[in-house]
Amino acid sequence: MAEQTGGGCCPPMDLFRSESMQLVQIIIPNESAHRTIDYLGEIGLIQFKDLNAEKSPFQRTYANQIKRCGEMARKLRLFKEQMSKAGLLSSSMSATQVDLSFDDLEVKLGELESELIEMNANGDKLQRSYNELVEYRLVLQKAGEFFHIAQSSAEALHREQASNQTGEQSLETPLLSEQEAVTDPSKQVKLGFITGLVPREKSMAFERILFRATRGNVYLRQAVVEEPVIDPVSGEKVEKNVFAVFFSGERAKSKILKICEAFGANRYSVPEDLGKQAQMITEVSGRISELKTTIDAGLVHRGNLLQTIGEQYDRWNILVRKEKSIYHTLNMLSIDVTKKCLVAEGWSPVFATKQIQDALQRATHDSNSEVGAIFRVLRTREMPPTYFQTNKFTSSFQDIVDAYGVAKYQEANPGVYTIVTFPFLFAVMFGDWGHGICLLLATMFFLFNEKKFSSQKLGDIMEMTFGGRYVIFMMSLFSIYTGLVYNEFFSVPFELFGKSAYGCRDPSCRDSTTAGLIKVRDTYPFGVDPAWHGSRSELPYLNSLKMKMSILIGVAQMNLGIILSFFNGLFFRNGVNIWCQFVPQMIFLNALFGYLSVLIIMKWCTGSKADLYHVMIYMFLSPTDELGENELFPGQKMTQLVLLLSALVAVPWMLFPKPFLLKAQHERHQGQSYTALQEAEESLLVESNDDSGHHGEFEFSEIFVHQLIHTIEFVLGAVSNTASYLRLWALSLAHSELSTVFYEKVLLLAWGYNNIIILIVGIIVFVFATVGVLLVMETLSAFLHALRLHWVEFQNKFYEGDGYKFSPFSFKLIDVGEDE
């Protein structure tokens, strides 16, 4: 649940029950409607009801204004996207803070958007031209090398042939000399060529397709471009090769052009003459330099524009969001028949009446309205929303409860007790004061950096951990306490509060971890005696202590839940629930498991050797048999008979009276309409707990079946829930045993080798195992089990959780950091 506060005039926070709510009606003149909603949003203490629920969003009065706000929000998103690409951050620090009205801001954003779009279009066009020229220069350079090498080779071949010519002709002399072939046009072959760049990853496939398409009647030359170039079309850096394809005939040319297009090859024309090629390279280089200067100037101008936008972005964003939320709220108001006023209805805390009236007066004065807003409280039987005032400490505990279900209006809030019981149950399972200190140090890191992390965007896991920092803080403190009680520091017992009360029976007893110990001193003053750790037949077992303590804690918490159901009945004046649920449930639970808890305490105090398992089993199987050595107090047999009969009587007591009493109530109220109550709050309380179905058909069979299911659920749940609390013992045992294994089998084992390398490795393994398993996995496991014990075993005794949360119209809930 988000932190909710009611403003400066709030009474002290009361988490035991939700704030008293009232349904209010406000009649607002049209000329002051906008400012009134604005001021009410500032105090954030009214949850408006939608009085136009039957209308679609496009049929509402202020649909055009919301559309305008949506368009302005789109422009702001465009600005933020452009600033992110440019590496700029929005800043609220500006030398010139200009206050703009909503209409002026709309015009300003339109002008800025047009300017920015035009600059982006021009910049993209210039950048594309620049990239094309860069590629063109590369083609001129690489293709020029092809022609230069070919010309050099031809000249060398020509000189060689000229030097080898003789005046004699032989059988090998060509019938047609080279010069004759050149002078005969009919024997000349005209070759064409195409040059460009092709992506390097496609170059091999490009070459194969050219060969197959032309049946080998082309000559292809490729040269690798050392650095990646920016593709003019995609704007991304791509590794490319310069190619030159020599062909003969228009048909081959057509095929080559189609293949180039299919492979995304960019083509550029290159003159055959080497002199012209050098001239073209010079001209292209000059144009590239000019474009570079123009692009840099454009980027500077664009950066200045985005910087100006960034200085005002947060303020503009807040203004647009506020305006949109105001018009959304105005659309929930109904129009008076005179069409001169708007009528609003909503829920507000009773204590906020003065603040709301002050806001209405200020809105009337500031809008120069001649008629003030009318505020009045309506009487209703409708269920109000639930509003708990929380702070940063209590909000995380309230979230734990709300995750199960929001409390019904004025229902007892489990969140108050969760502040203590949740970390305590966690600590019972996690108890180790060494691990608790580690958890505390991690939590202190979050607490000391609270302001820093509150203003940052964190990851999902980090966000969840930071949000529950105070829960973890309490869990660590309770873990240190229970760890001191268990006397475990990374599973090692210490004599912190004095020496052990046990010693060797005789001088031959040297090993204090075996049998043969007797009590030689006063009882260990606090927590578990260090000698209790281990298996000693003559000493109490620590695990037995934890198991019985789990039962005591479970019975105590379940009794607390039933007591809270009693207070709910008193508060809502529901006598049926008090006498037909609270009393028999309390009798049944304590006749069995309350009695077991008393026996456990008596056995601890008296040191009796009685077998409690035997006592409880034969309490049902043979209630009249003598207890013998299992008797803990005089009259125990008769007490057990009385308790057993009480438990048996409690079951029909829960089942039968309530349906008949509800039927009698329905018959008494049948035909009666709502009666006017003196207090609106009283009517709310009566209606919120009206189980008799006054306003609908009363089906006795349905009520009886429902009560039968509820009775069976409670009887079976009393047994299963008590057994479920044994998870406290099981998790505590598992945590202790894992800690012992890591200490003895890793750290002590590495220490015994007397090797520094093995010792370092052992310490590293021990640290990682402790952090990963005991401080992370075990923490999560104990947290989830404590959560289950609260949701199922504790809250199901009294908590319905079928309410809905108070969601006021408040500008504080507008998240500026995230766009819509």
Side-chain angles (χ1 to χ4, degrees), residues 479-757:
S479 296
I480 294 174
Y481 169 75
T482 54
L484 292 173
V485 173
Y486 294 161
N487 200 350
E488 291 186 7
F489 179 83
F490 295 98
S491 78
V492 180
F494 283 89
E495 295 182 341
L496 292 176
F497 304 99
K499 291 186 177 182
S500 172
Y502 297 89
C504 288
R505 177 178 297 160
D506 53 61
S508 63
C509 174
R510 295 182 179 179
D511 189 359
S512 61
T513 62
T514 61
L517 297 179
I518 59 173
K519 189 171 182 179
V520 296
R521 299 182 187 88
D522 293 336
T523 303
Y524 193 69
F526 180 82
V528 174
D529 193 294
W532 282 26
H533 291 266
S535 58
R536 311 176 187 88
S537 59
E538 297 184 8
L539 292 175
Y541 292 109
L542 178 59
N543 289 334
S544 176
L545 169 68
K546 292 181 178 180
M547 180 183 67
K548 293 171 183 174
M549 185 178 65
S550 300
I551 296 175
L552 294 178
I553 293 173
V555 174
Q557 190 173 34
M558 288 190 291
N559 272 286
L560 174 61
I562 297 176
I563 292 172
L564 290 177
S565 71
F566 169 73
F567 285 116
N568 274 339
L570 284 180
F571 186 82
F572 293 119
R573 304 172 189 174
N574 194 331
V576 174
N577 283 342
I578 292 176
W579 291 107
C580 299
Q581 285 187 206
F582 165 73
V583 176
Q585 287 178 359
M586 185 66 75
I587 291 174
F588 182 86
L589 180 66
N590 290 289
L592 302 179
F593 301 105
Y595 174 63
L596 174 60
S597 301
V598 172
L599 292 181
I600 291 173
I601 296 174
M602 291 185 66
K603 183 177 178 181
W604 283 348
C605 295
T606 60
S608 172
K609 300 296 183 180
D611 186 356
L612 299 186
Y613 298 105
H614 184 278
V615 172
M616 294 303 297
I617 290 174
Y618 283 93
M619 177 179 173
F620 293 92
L621 297 181
S622 302
T624 59
D625 289 354
E626 296 296 331
L627 296 174
E629 62 179 8
N630 291 322
E631 185 173 4
L632 286 167
F633 58 92
Q636 183 176 352
K637 175 183 173 182
M638 182 56 64
T639 302
Q640 292 184 175
L641 286 172
V642 173
L643 292 176
L644 184 59
L645 290 174
S646 300
L648 294 176
V649 170
V651 175
W653 190 350
M654 280 186 281
L655 174 60
F656 294 108
K658 185 174 180 178
F660 289 100
L661 290 175
L662 292 179
K663 182 180 180 181
Q665 284 186 359
H666 175 74
E667 292 174 350
R668 186 169 63 251
H669 292 283
Q670 192 172 16
Q672 296 181 5
S673 60
Y674 289 132
T675 57
L677 299 178
Q678 296 298 322
E679 296 292 338
E681 184 177 344
E682 181 181 354
S683 68
L684 294 175
L685 297 182
V686 172
E687 173 65 14
S688 63
N689 283 272
D690 190 358
D691 295 329
S692 57
H694 295 164
H695 318 306
E697 289 293 330
F698 183 88
E699 293 290 341
F700 179 80
S701 58
E702 291 184 5
I703 298 296
F704 187 83
V705 171
H706 180 271
Q707 188 63 23
L708 176 62
I709 295 173
H710 182 77
T711 302
I712 295 174
E713 181 184 10
F714 178 82
V715 172
L716 297 181
V719 179
S720 64
N721 292 351
T722 305
S724 182
Y725 275 96
L726 291 176
R727 71 183 67 236
L728 298 173
W729 162 56
L731 268 291
S732 177
L733 175 62
H735 185 88
S736 178
E737 290 300 316
L738 281 173
S739 183
T740 301
V741 168
F742 293 149
Y743 174 71
E744 294 181 353
K745 302 302 181 182
V746 177
L747 194 60
L748 291 184
L749 189 63
W751 183 273
Y753 279 97
N754 294 325
N755 187 304
I756 187 64
I757 297 178

Side-chain angles (χ1 to χ4, degrees), residues 15-45:
L15 282 175
F16 288 93
R17 296 194 186 275
S18 60
E19 293 290 342
S20 298
M21 306 296 290
Q22 59 187 1
L23 182 63
V24 300
Q25 183 184 68
I26 307 175
I27 302 175
I28 312 170
N30 288 338
E31 59 270 17
S32 62
H34 184 280
R35 194 176 296 273
T36 299
I37 300 300
D38 188 1
Y39 288 177
L40 293 177
E42 292 292 342
I43 62 176
L45 289 172

